[in-house]
Amino acid sequence: MALRLPQLLRTSPRLAFTCAVTAIVMLTSVAWSLHRKPKTWPPDEVPVAFWAWRNEAPSEADVRRAIQGTRARTLFLRAGQIDFQDGTLHRIRNAGGTLPQGIELHLVYNATRSLLAQLENVDDNLLASSIYEAFAKDAERGLADHATVAGLQIDIDVPTRLLPRYAKTLRAVHARLPPRIQLSITGLPTWMDSPALNGVLDQVDFWIPQFYGAKIPERMDQSIPISSMQFVAREVTRARELDRPFYAGLAAYSYALLYNNSGTLITLRGDMNPLHVSDDANLELMERGIINNTNEWRYVYRARAGGVIEGLAMNAGDFLVVDTPSTESLRLAARAVRGLAGKKLLGICVFRLPGGNDAATLRIEQIAAALGDLLPRVGVSAEMVLLAAAEQQRADVVHEARLTVVNTGTEGILTGDGLTVDLTVPPGSAQQLSLQGFKSVITHCGSVLNGSPVAAAPCSERRANVLRFTAASLAPGESVQARLVFNEPVPSVLFAHIEIQSDDGQTHVLNQQVIVSSGARK
């Protein structure tokens, strides 16, 4: 007959002691494994994805740059919005253009303000049907475009109290999808406070919690970053503890906030060019600085008079606040993810995919450096090319040249007067100047030591031996140019003294030889 445990312990004290010690060791091991810091992911082992958030599908060139620069594997493309008007659900704002090839594509559908306001009154099954029907049509379009459609993502900022209803909608959507199509959602940080989140995550293959934009500054005296390393570290730890597959959603975009003269928020825009704001003569820069040690920059402008910039109307005395990320802010956020996310991390998803004309987002060079955990690299190159006769603007001009300055580093240059180039030339030789991208040029006179100007001060063009060019900003890979007309042959080598204010808050000084070459290069 088998002995019961109490009998066994009475029979063998040594065995009882051994069992007790074994139990303590096992419990200690389990507790330690639950609370130990997860293994850090190496940068090159973390898959990269992007959200594309425009009215047009991204160009082939934009997608190719992302793949080459970051080894991106996945693209979450906003394909449209679900609207609710007069009791009817319908899809609006379809993404135009050709769906991209060469990358795994997940089609994303978000909700209009009208739908969000009435979400509690919308039938779960009808909403699920509307989302699925929109996806089915776009999946057919993807087939025609030879795109690889792998998933459907729903981006609805459901109030936390409605998460149980959201779970029903997701269950209904998932039931309609073919087995090969993955279903995912974006997630708000506030959801992680709710026990109902587990029921939501039961209905999807993975999710992307957004570790940014948790709180919008409603008043101008509030200085709240879009994201921070501390916030990312806290939230990614909470996501890990849910033990569900997830991408970490990180921010690489800027936004502009318009406040009235009493400091109350009027509207928010995520598509404004910070450089256009800086260049607007109607806007006076009142303040510039890093937000709470986050490596994000905050610019505060005041409207001198009523006006319009990029479709945004302002009254005299209104304030426009621009919050911009930096390579370093994204690098620190990505480092927090790699160190704390744990084994259920599927990758990092960056909002948003840089486009050729999207100046409100970090360039792909900056994103690649940040995700690769590379230290900031500051670099600027300057070259001058003598123009062929066919390129010269006037037939009577003999010595015309083009100066090109390129940001060859991974750091952006601060908006304002972040770049200054002092170019030494023979005294009085530069007769005519025209700018293409530079903000200004002022003629200076000064002594020259080892090719660099010393104690240069403004003077007339007839005597000037230093041309001081300034640029308001210069992203990695971008260039600015100037045309110069000389009254004598241009030396084969000029010298440039360059000062840069990079977006890591530091000032850098470079001295370069500028080789003057012949040719018709543009």
Side-chain angles (χ1 to χ4, degrees):
M1 183 177 70
L3 292 175
R4 293 174 181 169
L5 184 58
Q7 293 174 312
L8 180 63
L9 294 180
R10 286 197 299 270
T11 303
S12 177
R14 179 177 296 177
L15 180 60
F17 176 77
T18 301
C19 291
V21 170
T22 301
I24 292 171
V25 170
M26 290 178 63
L27 290 172
T28 302
S29 176
V30 170
W32 179 78
S33 66
L34 289 174
H35 293 91
R36 65 178 177 173
K37 185 178 178 180
K39 180 181 178 180
T40 298
W41 287 69
D44 59 355
E45 292 184 10
V46 180
V48 176
F50 286 90
W51 274 295
W53 218 251
R54 286 172 271 170
N55 294 327
E56 292 283 327
S59 69
E60 179 186 347
D62 290 341
V63 174
R64 186 172 60 252
R65 278 192 291 268
I67 294 173
Q68 293 174 348
T70 68
R71 309 180 317 280
R73 304 177 184 178
T74 308
L75 183 66
F76 296 87
L77 188 152
R78 187 176 73 166
Q81 290 185 295
I82 307 300
D83 192 28
F84 187 67
Q85 296 291 339
D86 300 324
T88 303
L89 289 162
H90 55 283
R91 191 260 292 271
I92 62 173
R93 300 189 179 96
N94 304 11
T98 302
L99 298 183
Q101 302 177 25
I103 193 166
E104 185 179 279
L105 196 62
H106 293 245
L107 303 180
V108 187
Y109 302 87
N110 67 332
T112 63
R113 291 184 180 181
S114 175
L115 174 56
L116 289 174
Q118 304 176 74
L119 195 57
E120 198 165 6
N121 302 317
V122 175
D123 181 85
D124 302 320
N125 287 313
L126 288 178
L127 179 56
S129 295
S130 296
I131 294 171
Y132 173 74
E133 289 168 6
F135 171 77
K137 291 179 181 178
D138 290 333
E140 288 183 11
R141 171 186 164 197
L143 190 62
D145 291 341
H146 304 287
T148 304
V149 177
L152 160 63
Q153 183 170 96
I154 301 175
D155 173 39
I156 298 181
D157 293 342
V158 174
T160 304
R161 61 184 175 81
L162 296 182
L163 285 178
R165 290 199 60 181
Y166 194 30
K168 295 179 182 178
T169 299
L170 294 170
R171 186 182 306 118
V173 173
H174 216 165
R176 291 166 166 82
L177 291 175
R180 64 179 180 81
I181 298 297
Q182 292 183 302
L183 178 64
S184 64
I185 58 171
T186 60
L188 300 177
T190 53
W191 291 359
M192 284 190 263
D193 296 323
S194 172
L197 178 57
N198 282 314
V200 170
L201 298 182
D202 284 339
Q203 313 308 321
V204 298
D205 296 290
F206 63 90
W207 72 310
I208 308 185
Q210 298 170 350
F211 300 137
Y212 57 86
K215 188 175 181 181
I216 303 299
E218 297 290 337
R219 293 196 54 81
M220 198 187 72
D221 56 8
Q222 297 175 308
S223 187
I224 303 173
I226 296 173
S227 186
S228 70
M229 183 183 67
Q230 294 79 8
F231 176 76
V232 171
R234 182 178 71 246
E235 297 304 317
V236 77
T237 299
R238 298 172 74 193
R240 183 191 75 231
E241 291 171 350
L242 290 169
D243 199 32
R244 305 299 182 102
F246 73 100
Y247 281 85
L250 300 184
Y253 68 96
S254 65
Y255 60 36
L257 306 108
L258 179 64
Y259 298 89
N260 62 21
N261 57 13
S262 63
T264 301
L265 181 65
I266 299 173
T267 190
L268 179 150
R269 287 270 299 273
D271 59 350
M272 296 190 71
N273 186 334
L275 184 56
H276 292 171
V277 175
S278 172
D279 287 344
D280 193 310
N282 186 41
L283 295 175
E284 178 185 6
L285 180 63
M286 307 298 295
E287 177 186 334
R288 181 180 76 177
I290 292 177
I291 305 176
N292 303 332
N293 299 315
T294 61
N295 292 99
E296 284 186 15
W297 285 85
R298 183 174 187 258
Y299 301 80
V300 179
Y301 300 89
R302 183 173 59 190
R304 294 185 171 95
V308 177
I309 177 171
E310 295 192 358
L312 182 64
M314 296 177 293
N315 296 318
D318 284 352
F319 294 92
L320 189 61
V321 176
V322 180
D323 185 350
T324 65
S326 66
T327 310
E328 186 68 0
S329 65
L330 180 58
R331 185 173 78 94
L332 294 175
R335 177 180 287 183
V337 170
R338 294 196 315 275
L340 298 171
K343 62 183 180 180
K344 289 299 178 73
L345 180 70
L346 298 177
I348 289 175
C349 188
V350 178
F351 187 83
R352 53 197 181 240
L353 178 72
N357 58 352
D358 183 7
T361 303
L362 293 178
R363 298 290 291 261
I364 199 67
E365 294 89 346
Q366 294 172 282
I367 294 172
L371 299 185
D373 202 19
L374 303 178
L375 291 174
R377 178 170 56 82
V378 175
V380 170
S381 69
E383 68 167 12
M384 184 174 287
V385 177
L386 297 175
L387 300 182
E391 285 192 281
Q392 295 183 5
Q393 296 175 339
R394 289 169 42 189
D396 60 337
V397 171
V398 178
H399 309 294
E400 184 172 358
R402 179 190 295 112
L403 172 69
T404 301
V405 176
V406 183
N407 184 346
T408 58
T410 60
E411 290 294 286
I413 293 175
L414 286 185
T415 304
D417 292 328
L419 174 66
T420 302
V421 179
D422 284 353
L423 182 70
T424 57
V425 296
S429 62
Q431 291 186 320
Q432 190 177 354
L433 305 167
S434 62
L435 307 180
Q436 300 171 3
F438 282 110
K439 184 177 180 180
S440 66
V441 59
I442 301 175
T443 53
H444 281 64
C445 293
S447 57
V448 176
L449 179 63
N450 297 325
S452 297
V454 178
C459 68
S460 69
E461 183 180 285
R462 290 183 299 175
R463 297 190 301 117
N465 66 337
V466 177
L467 306 178
R468 175 164 294 175
F469 298 90
T470 60
S473 181
L474 198 63
E478 286 188 340
S479 64
V480 287
Q481 295 182 338
R483 283 190 179 227
L484 300 88
V485 174
F486 294 89
N487 59 12
E488 61 182 67
V490 184
S492 59
V493 177
L494 299 175
F495 292 88
H497 175 83
I498 303 172
E499 292 191 7
I500 303 165
Q501 288 184 289
S502 59
D503 61 13
D504 63 359
Q506 299 185 42
T507 299
H508 308 266
V509 177
L510 306 173
N511 291 303
Q512 291 186 4
Q513 287 187 339
V514 180
I515 306 300
V516 181
S517 60
S518 300
R521 289 183 294 166
K522 295 184 179 181

